[in-house]
Amino acid sequence: QMQMVESGGDSVQAGGSLKLSCTVSDGDTFSERCLGWFRQTAEKSREKVATLVEADGYTTYADSVVGRFTISLDNAKRTLFLQMNNLKPEDTGKYTCASSRSGTWSFCPMNQFEYWGQGIPVTVSA
């Protein structure tokens, strides 16, 4: 089963930046998949932050992060990134990357994310 490991989480002040990475296990790639970053806090249920269709690069973002966050994939298709700029305290949470099975995707339905990382904390202080 494909496994993914996140890195890059940290504690920063509001206005700062972080870049999260999600690397897939050896022998696997993110090719032909829907990919996404999600976040969760104690007060809120899991929230979709950004998604990416690998085949055509189609991306979607939560309204709260548009213009500040960017989801991307490395050329080897083995590491998914989330560049987060102008961070706000409300961005605090546990960030998790996710992937669908390999297939033909034009968009990323929530119920098609089958593989999940362990999650990594991001804390933004005022």
Side-chain angles (χ1 to χ4, degrees):
Q1 180 165 331
M2 188 172 77
Q3 295 181 334
M4 299 172 292
V5 177
E6 299 95 340
S7 62
D10 206 343
S11 296
V12 297
Q13 290 189 326
S17 297
L18 284 175
K19 187 172 185 176
L20 304 183
S21 300
C22 170
T23 301
V24 71
S25 49
D26 289 345
D28 287 307
T29 73
F30 287 133
S31 181
E32 298 180 339
R33 298 176 189 268
C34 266
L35 306 168
W37 284 98
F38 298 80
R39 67 186 177 194
Q40 188 168 14
T41 66
E43 296 79 22
K44 296 182 180 180
S45 59
R46 181 180 284 164
E47 172 191 22
K48 181 188 72 175
V49 176
T51 65
L52 169 69
V53 178
E54 184 279 322
D56 61 8
Y58 176 68
T59 58
T60 66
Y61 295 92
D63 289 343
S64 61
V65 307
V66 169
R68 300 188 298 121
F69 290 14
T70 303
I71 186 172
S72 63
L73 189 63
D74 73 333
N75 290 337
K77 301 180 182 179
R78 297 197 64 247
T79 301
L80 181 70
F81 301 105
L82 184 68
Q83 176 68 49
M84 305 186 293
N85 298 326
N86 190 21
L87 282 161
K88 303 177 180 180
E90 51 264 42
D91 295 319
T92 294
K94 182 179 181 180
Y95 284 71
T96 306
C97 61
S99 172
S100 69
R101 289 179 177 265
S102 178
T104 301
W105 304 98
S106 58
F107 69 102
C108 299
M110 271 297 296
N111 61 0
Q112 295 302 317
F113 287 99
E114 295 191 18
Y115 306 102
W116 296 82
Q118 293 298 310
I120 192 165
V122 170
T123 303
V124 184
S125 58

mmCIF file of all heavy atoms in Angstrom, residues 1 29 40-41 45 48 56 93 96 103:
data_model
loop_
_atom_site.group_PDB
_atom_site.id
_atom_site.type_symbol
_atom_site.label_atom_id
_atom_site.label_comp_id
_atom_site.label_asym_id
_atom_site.label_seq_id
_atom_site.Cartn_x
_atom_site.Cartn_y
_atom_site.Cartn_z
ATOM 1 N N GLN A 1 0.845 -1.186 0.000
ATOM 2 C CA GLN A 1 0.000 0.000 0.000
ATOM 3 C C GLN A 1 0.886 1.243 0.000
ATOM 4 O O GLN A 1 1.853 1.314 0.736
ATOM 5 C CB GLN A 1 -0.912 0.011 1.218
ATOM 6 C CG GLN A 1 -1.820 1.219 1.291
ATOM 7 C CD GLN A 1 -2.939 1.050 2.267
ATOM 8 O OE1 GLN A 1 -3.378 -0.059 2.513
ATOM 9 N NE2 GLN A 1 -3.422 2.141 2.832
ATOM 10 N N THR A 29 4.635 6.540 -7.355
ATOM 11 C CA THR A 29 4.642 7.941 -7.763
ATOM 12 C C THR A 29 3.219 8.487 -7.642
ATOM 13 O O THR A 29 2.259 7.736 -7.461
ATOM 14 C CB THR A 29 5.119 8.129 -9.214
ATOM 15 O OG1 THR A 29 4.096 7.676 -10.112
ATOM 16 C CG2 THR A 29 6.403 7.377 -9.488
ATOM 17 N N GLN A 40 -6.894 19.991 9.833
ATOM 18 C CA GLN A 40 -7.888 19.730 10.871
ATOM 19 C C GLN A 40 -7.430 20.364 12.172
ATOM 20 O O GLN A 40 -6.237 20.376 12.482
ATOM 21 C CB GLN A 40 -8.062 18.218 11.050
ATOM 22 C CG GLN A 40 -9.204 17.824 11.956
ATOM 23 C CD GLN A 40 -9.497 16.341 11.862
ATOM 24 O OE1 GLN A 40 -8.710 15.554 11.325
ATOM 25 N NE2 GLN A 40 -10.651 15.942 12.376
ATOM 26 N N THR A 41 -8.392 20.893 12.925
ATOM 27 C CA THR A 41 -8.116 21.422 14.243
ATOM 28 C C THR A 41 -9.062 20.752 15.234
ATOM 29 O O THR A 41 -9.980 20.044 14.848
ATOM 30 C CB THR A 41 -8.309 22.943 14.305
ATOM 31 O OG1 THR A 41 -9.703 23.236 14.101
ATOM 32 C CG2 THR A 41 -7.495 23.648 13.234
ATOM 33 N N SER A 45 -13.801 20.092 11.797
ATOM 34 C CA SER A 45 -13.587 18.823 11.118
ATOM 35 C C SER A 45 -12.582 19.021 9.983
ATOM 36 O O SER A 45 -12.199 20.146 9.672
ATOM 37 C CB SER A 45 -14.909 18.299 10.572
ATOM 38 O OG SER A 45 -15.463 19.221 9.672
ATOM 39 N N LYS A 48 -10.708 20.635 3.351
ATOM 40 C CA LYS A 48 -9.878 20.584 2.156
ATOM 41 C C LYS A 48 -9.194 21.923 1.969
ATOM 42 O O LYS A 48 -9.835 22.958 1.952
ATOM 43 C CB LYS A 48 -10.728 20.263 0.929
ATOM 44 C CG LYS A 48 -9.942 20.164 -0.365
ATOM 45 C CD LYS A 48 -10.859 20.036 -1.569
ATOM 46 C CE LYS A 48 -11.553 21.344 -1.858
ATOM 47 N NZ LYS A 48 -12.361 21.285 -3.100
ATOM 48 N N ASP A 56 -3.412 17.089 -15.622
ATOM 49 C CA ASP A 56 -3.487 18.361 -16.329
ATOM 50 C C ASP A 56 -3.155 19.568 -15.460
ATOM 51 O O ASP A 56 -3.217 20.705 -15.914
ATOM 52 C CB ASP A 56 -4.879 18.555 -16.948
ATOM 53 C CG ASP A 56 -5.990 18.584 -15.926
ATOM 54 O OD1 ASP A 56 -5.686 18.597 -14.707
ATOM 55 O OD2 ASP A 56 -7.169 18.586 -16.320
ATOM 56 N N GLY A 93 -3.160 24.222 12.394
ATOM 57 C CA GLY A 93 -3.838 22.938 12.343
ATOM 58 C C GLY A 93 -2.888 21.822 11.991
ATOM 59 O O GLY A 93 -1.692 22.037 11.817
ATOM 60 N N THR A 96 -2.435 17.332 6.411
ATOM 61 C CA THR A 96 -2.258 15.970 5.930
ATOM 62 C C THR A 96 -2.362 15.936 4.414
ATOM 63 O O THR A 96 -3.239 16.580 3.838
ATOM 64 C CB THR A 96 -3.340 15.043 6.521
ATOM 65 O OG1 THR A 96 -3.344 15.157 7.948
ATOM 66 C CG2 THR A 96 -3.087 13.599 6.142
ATOM 67 N N GLY A 103 -5.682 6.728 -11.869
ATOM 68 C CA GLY A 103 -6.826 6.649 -12.765
ATOM 69 C C GLY A 103 -6.926 7.892 -13.625
ATOM 70 O O GLY A 103 -5.985 8.676 -13.715
#
